[in-house]
Amino acid sequence: MELCTYKIIIKGVVQGVGFRPFIYTLAKQFSFNGYVYNGNFGVAIVLNATQDEVETFITNIKKEQPPLASIESIEYAQVKQESFDDFTIKESASSEVGFTNIPPDLFVCKDCAHELFDPKDRRYRYPFITCTNCGVRYSIINNLPYDRANTSMAKFTMCKACEAEYSDPDNRRYHAQPIGCYDCGSSLSFLDNNQAQLSSGNREPIALSIEALKQGAIVAIKGVGGYHLVCDATNDVAVQKLRERKHRSSKPFALMLKDIQSAQKLAYINDQEAQLLSSPQRPIVLLDKKNDTDLSKSVAPHLSRLGIFLAYTPLHLLLLDALDVPLVATSANISDDPIATNIEELRLMSGVYDFILDHNREILNRCDDSVVMVIESRIITIRRARGYAPASLKLPYPLQENALAVGAHQKNSVAIGSEESVVLSPYIGDLGNIASIKSFERAIKDLQRVYNFNYTTILHDAHKGYDSTRYARAQDAHKKEVYHHYAHILSVMAENGLKNQKVLGVAFDGTGFGEDATLWGGEFLVCDYAGFERVAHLKPFLLLGGEAAIKEPRRVALALLFDIYGKEALEIESPTLSSFSKEELKTLYTMWKRGLNAPQTSSMGRVFDAIASLLGISQTISFEGESGMLLEEFYDETTSGVYEYDVSRGIIDISPMIISLTKESDTKIAVTKFFNTVVKIIVNIHRNYKNLQLCASGGVFQNRILVKLLLKEFPDLFMNERFPPNDGGIALGQMASFMNIPKGS
Ligand code: ZN
Ligand code: ZN
Ligand code: FE
């Protein structure tokens, strides 16, 4: 058969994962002549073969692909005849356009970890050891194609030994862009809290950090996508000091551990959770805490859950190898600001840490730790960042135009989209202050730069007060606003690849601007990609004092009591009322009566808050979702029962539940019946839309009791899994509202 010239294009995560040497070796086995190269779109192969050979070759590529690769598509076509003497790896071409998947930052591979602790290896204890199969990627990429010159490794000139490995197609470090060694790569420094350098090199800074951590110091340690604040998790004084300095009263701290065995000492871990912990993505996994550990009580006060991740850089491994205690490793930021990525940003919080363990490989793309949990064998992503970002998603239909989606306000994440591809930025953080807005703008620029991307339409939330909306409205582009809860449901539809169809969406979250200009959050929407109809929702109540009611669940509870009993509510015996002074109660009553500084909401998130207050579980909260987490602690699967509620014309009135619940003497029974009631509400509303698939989204669906119970009723429930159900998924939903839906579908 005659040989023709074919071009094969492979899309997906195919750069920075050892794909070209893999193709090289495979092509040699087939005795093909031609070449392989990286382009903006992915990997391309040009070779001479028969059509049958090309097809077998493609089958083998799919079967044998490198461990970190993930192929989205392979296409081939016959091109102009050429002749070649050999098969070669060509330098990258950057002239071709399109999205390519950028490889995420991954953990040290087995081979590198082995070399790290092998005294005979030339990279023995070198804290930046890496190869083609592991290490940093996204966080160090300036622009595509992914070549060393386009990364923050550009300033490090390889020594002869590294160069030789880099140029040898048979070497594990062939074209591994971030490689280096003691002679030529990145190095560490150890600084005090005035940023004065105390030591540099690759050995002493580690030894000094270990000593400091042993003494109970807080050390800011530069990781992959930002700095961590680290201290000994078994040292009460150190952990408490970190809480005070970081102004973080009770939100749990994540723990960094050496290996799965150390994790098993602290938490109950099933197979799926163990797999996640040890995966190359190394996310923080939320787990059930064991009792009687030597952890400080201040790590996760009042909660039976722990966030744990395993060391994900060689540097972390070296530290934990010497320390052998669990370490608190929390993002270096103030409250929910973006994580610090350089020494200047760290300077703004110099009172928080005692020392810095720094290095000179620049972080170009900020990337916080990812957070996941497993509920009934579904993996729920709470924060999508390091290890996963930026990964793209294929939409069920192409976009109308190139678009930028700016997300919402809290847990912001942005997205760019072209044709059927969407790329989401990693988690940015809560907007609302100058630092976070800067970081938001930077994330947009990063995506545009890295992907060489321009947009003509900008998609934003309908809330005019959000910083993201303000940014969108100031840009010179077509604008489209997307209602918050509609975006939540669309994110589920898009993530699950649903074709255009009507679904029943249940969007339960804390807040979001609705069509009637009130705050929504307990919504049932019948929707498809073209639009939505609000078919049912919680009966609105008042947020006494606006923002203040979000920090103080007791204000929401009080409003619900006023709605039921009017002024008589003031005579009720309730933990909610006894938490206020007489004066405060009087003021709040007036506020309720006149509707002053008391916006209306139908938020389910706020109902969770109110229940926690009415049952005396918490009157004020220090982080979002705290009351939901506390309620989980009281759920008792050995009891049952539900409360009454009314539905009329799609308005769900929970007053009957509030009345009975406040009379319940056992908190566990009350909480359990509350969860059962929320699920029953969903089941009941769905009865009217029996032929529609149920899609659930919104921050409330991070509550594992609720999700567990709901999955029992709806085993086929569509939810967010790879993308967060909280506002971190809004940008994806905004994108999904902007697709070209074929007529008649
Ligand atoms: Zn490796
Ligand atoms: Zn070297
Ligand atoms: Fe939301």
Side-chain angles (χ1 to χ4, degrees):
M1 275 234 281
E2 205 198 329
L3 294 188
C4 300
T5 304
Y6 288 95
K7 183 171 185 177
I8 306 170
I9 291 188
I10 308 174
K11 293 183 181 170
V13 181
V14 290
Q15 291 189 8
V17 293
F19 214 87
R20 285 178 304 167
F22 157 71
I23 293 294
Y24 172 87
T25 315
L26 195 64
K28 287 275 185 195
Q29 283 167 17
F30 275 78
S31 308
F32 288 151
N33 286 341
Y35 58 91
V36 55
Y37 66 97
N38 278 342
N40 285 343
F41 51 84
V43 160
I45 307 158
V46 179
L47 50 75
N48 286 333
T50 67
Q51 188 168 354
D52 282 355
E53 284 173 336
V54 169
E55 279 173 9
T56 324
F57 184 58
I58 289 174
T59 313
N60 285 22
I61 293 175
K62 286 183 184 158
K63 236 179 11 214
E64 297 166 23
Q65 56 179 298
L68 299 183
S70 153
I71 295 174
E72 230 165 57
S73 68
I74 304 187
E75 283 165 21
Y76 74 93
Q78 199 177 329
V79 293
K80 205 174 124 245
Q81 190 77 28
E82 274 184 87
S83 66
F84 314 101
D85 307 330
D86 200 358
F87 195 89
T88 53
I89 298 174
K90 270 207 180 178
E91 282 311 300
S92 303
S94 56
S95 55
E96 295 170 71
V97 288
F99 272 165
T100 192
N101 279 315
I102 292 184
D105 301 294
L106 299 174
F107 175 57
V108 206
C109 72
K110 267 204 189 84
D111 293 330
C112 287
H114 181 81
E115 289 170 357
L116 183 65
F117 293 107
D118 176 4
K120 288 189 290 294
D121 194 272
R122 72 183 187 93
R123 291 191 182 84
Y124 175 56
R125 303 191 81 87
Y126 179 60
F128 303 96
I129 188 167
T130 181
C131 75
T132 318
N133 300 323
C134 72
V136 289
R137 298 288 186 276
Y138 170 69
S139 61
I140 60 159
I141 294 177
N142 187 48
N143 55 280
L144 289 178
Y146 174 58
D147 276 335
R148 190 166 170 113
N150 296 333
T151 70
S152 46
M153 289 307 289
K155 67 172 184 182
F156 299 97
T157 311
M158 276 183 271
C159 69
K160 279 225 168 70
C162 285
E163 177 86 57
E165 294 169 325
Y166 185 86
S167 324
D168 174 6
D170 292 326
N171 193 288
R172 201 175 88 242
R173 297 201 163 85
Y174 177 74
H175 278 217
Q177 312 304 348
I179 66 163
C181 70
Y182 284 106
D183 293 333
C184 69
S186 325
S187 60
L188 298 168
S189 52
F190 187 71
L191 301 88
D192 68 14
N193 67 344
N194 290 316
Q195 306 205 345
Q197 188 173 306
L198 304 175
S199 167
S200 67
N202 276 312
R203 294 279 170 96
E204 202 185 46
I206 296 183
L208 290 171
S209 304
I210 289 166
E211 210 32 58
L213 289 167
K214 276 186 184 162
Q215 306 290 331
I218 294 163
V219 185
I221 300 178
K222 191 171 183 180
V224 166
Y227 289 78
H228 281 132
L229 297 168
V230 177
C231 71
D232 178 351
T234 62
N235 183 330
D236 256 331
V237 180
V239 180
Q240 202 47 51
K241 186 168 69 178
L242 180 56
R243 285 218 174 272
E244 278 156 27
R245 291 186 184 174
K246 214 188 162 192
H247 305 298
R248 176 150 150 164
S249 57
S250 58
K251 193 174 179 183
F253 282 137
L255 297 177
M256 174 162 73
L257 305 176
K258 187 167 125 186
D259 49 30
I260 194 89
Q261 287 76 23
S262 358
Q264 272 153 345
K265 283 183 199 150
L266 303 179
Y268 299 96
I269 301 172
N270 67 28
D271 289 350
Q272 209 181 356
E273 290 162 338
Q275 220 170 41
L276 277 167
L277 280 169
S278 327
S279 69
Q281 288 79 15
R282 300 261 149 145
I284 296 174
V285 184
L286 302 184
L287 301 163
D288 284 329
K289 178 159 80 175
K290 283 189 176 167
N291 291 324
D292 303 324
T293 65
D294 49 5
L295 285 180
S296 157
K297 293 229 164 10
S298 306
V299 168
H302 319 302
L303 294 175
S304 59
R305 302 280 278 172
L306 271 184
I308 289 180
F309 65 95
L310 302 187
Y312 58 81
T313 71
L315 175 61
H316 295 152
L317 275 182
L318 292 170
L319 288 168
L320 281 162
D321 182 56
L323 279 161
D324 210 22
V325 290
L327 294 176
V328 163
T330 181
S331 307
N333 56 9
I334 306 281
S335 63
D336 287 312
D337 280 1
I339 185 170
T341 55
N342 58 46
I343 205 96
E344 287 74 37
E345 290 173 351
L346 210 53
R347 188 167 293 143
L348 301 174
M349 41 190 308
S350 60
V352 181
Y353 50 84
D354 301 304
F355 299 100
I356 306 171
L357 178 57
D358 203 18
H359 64 70
N360 57 357
R361 186 185 63 211
E362 201 184 339
I363 297 171
L364 294 175
N365 299 307
R366 191 189 311 271
C367 207
D368 214 321
D369 293 321
S370 294
V371 184
V372 301
M373 67 175 157
V374 176
I375 308 178
E376 301 287 287
S377 65
R378 299 222 195 180
I379 300 166
I380 310 292
T381 305
I382 293 173
R383 192 199 284 161
R384 203 172 159 290
R386 179 189 47 76
Y388 301 101
S392 71
L393 176 87
K394 200 164 177 256
L395 293 172
Y397 303 99
L399 291 166
Q400 295 173 26
E401 292 173 17
N402 277 7
L404 166 72
V406 294
H409 191 72
Q410 283 173 311
K411 303 182 169 60
N412 184 275
S413 169
V414 298
I416 55 172
S418 176
E419 293 173 14
E420 289 170 342
S421 295
V422 178
V423 176
L424 261 100
S425 79
Y427 165 89
I428 295 166
D430 292 352
L431 304 183
N433 63 55
I434 294 166
S436 59
I437 295 165
K438 257 194 178 157
S439 161
F440 160 83
E441 291 179 359
R442 165 93 193 265
I444 294 171
K445 284 205 187 98
D446 286 347
L447 280 179
Q448 287 192 273
R449 182 195 71 241
V450 169
Y451 291 93
N452 190 20
F453 176 81
N454 276 311
Y455 60 88
T456 44
T457 296
I458 188 160
L459 307 160
H460 61 84
D461 197 276
H463 195 304
K464 296 195 170 45
Y466 287 177
D467 292 319
S468 56
T469 306
R470 272 193 219 116
Y471 171 88
R473 287 158 64 104
Q475 305 308 307
D476 180 22
H478 302 141
K479 284 140 205 139
K480 185 183 176 211
E481 67 173 25
V482 187
Y483 280 98
H484 188 95
H485 299 93
Y486 179 44
H488 268 308
I489 302 307
L490 288 186
S491 76
V492 177
M493 292 179 70
E495 174 178 351
N496 289 284
L498 297 190
K499 288 287 175 189
N500 198 31
Q501 59 183 282
K502 289 228 182 299
V503 303
L504 178 65
V506 46
F508 285 174
D509 66 357
T511 186
F513 193 77
E515 280 179 314
D516 59 359
T518 70
L519 300 173
W520 290 10
E523 313 305 312
F524 289 87
L525 312 174
V526 166
C527 49
D528 58 18
Y529 291 118
F532 72 96
E533 188 196 344
R534 187 193 199 196
V535 294
H537 60 89
L538 285 182
K539 184 179 159 196
F541 47 90
L542 298 182
L543 295 173
L544 302 177
E547 282 289 308
I550 293 167
K551 294 259 187 289
E552 294 181 33
R554 56 187 186 158
R555 287 172 182 251
V556 181
L558 193 62
L560 289 173
L561 292 177
F562 285 146
D563 284 346
I564 296 167
Y565 300 106
K567 201 169 187 178
E568 317 260 279
L570 296 170
E571 311 304 319
I572 297 173
E573 285 248 356
S574 152
T576 301
L577 278 108
S578 48
S579 78
F580 290 108
S581 71
K582 282 250 147 43
E583 283 307 299
E584 285 171 325
L585 285 173
K586 239 169 99 187
T587 314
L588 288 164
Y589 177 72
T590 315
M591 217 181 239
W592 173 80
K593 183 118 209 231
R594 303 208 188 134
L596 289 171
N597 189 18
Q600 246 189 39
T601 186
S602 55
S603 156
M604 182 58 94
R606 295 290 91 82
V607 170
F608 272 65
D609 284 349
I611 302 301
S613 163
L614 291 168
L615 296 174
I617 294 169
S618 69
Q619 300 306 335
T620 60
I621 53 169
S622 70
F623 63 93
E624 205 213 2
E626 184 175 7
S627 32
M629 289 173 94
L630 290 169
L631 286 174
E632 288 180 1
E633 301 289 322
F634 290 89
Y635 178 79
D636 177 4
E637 53 187 7
T638 63
T639 64
S640 56
V642 288
Y643 290 120
E644 297 285 310
Y645 58 89
D646 294 322
V647 186
S648 128
R649 296 170 184 229
I651 295 176
I652 304 153
D653 182 1
I654 56 164
S655 308
M657 172 178 81
I658 302 291
I659 294 169
S660 319
L661 181 136
T662 46
K663 290 177 182 149
E664 202 82 64
S665 57
D666 185 322
T667 309
K668 280 191 168 175
I669 291 175
V671 168
T672 308
K673 284 166 85 173
F674 165 67
F675 276 113
N676 292 342
T677 308
V678 175
V679 173
K680 194 178 161 204
I681 290 173
I682 299 174
V683 170
N684 272 3
I685 301 290
H686 184 254
R687 277 208 186 117
N688 306 329
Y689 304 91
K690 256 208 146 80
N691 50 342
L692 301 189
Q693 290 278 10
L694 187 66
C695 294
S697 184
V700 170
F701 292 102
Q702 294 169 122
N703 189 292
R704 68 198 162 112
I705 302 295
L706 175 62
V707 172
K708 220 182 218 173
L709 295 174
L710 195 57
L711 283 171
K712 274 200 193 115
E713 298 291 336
F714 300 93
D716 314 323
L717 178 71
F718 285 111
M719 308 170 49
N720 296 107
E721 293 180 40
R722 280 179 64 207
F723 298 90
N726 60 48
D727 289 1
I730 289 286
L732 173 61
Q734 292 172 342
M735 222 31 118
S737 77
F738 193 56
M739 299 184 299
N740 236 330
I741 311 298
K743 288 231 159 55
S745 69

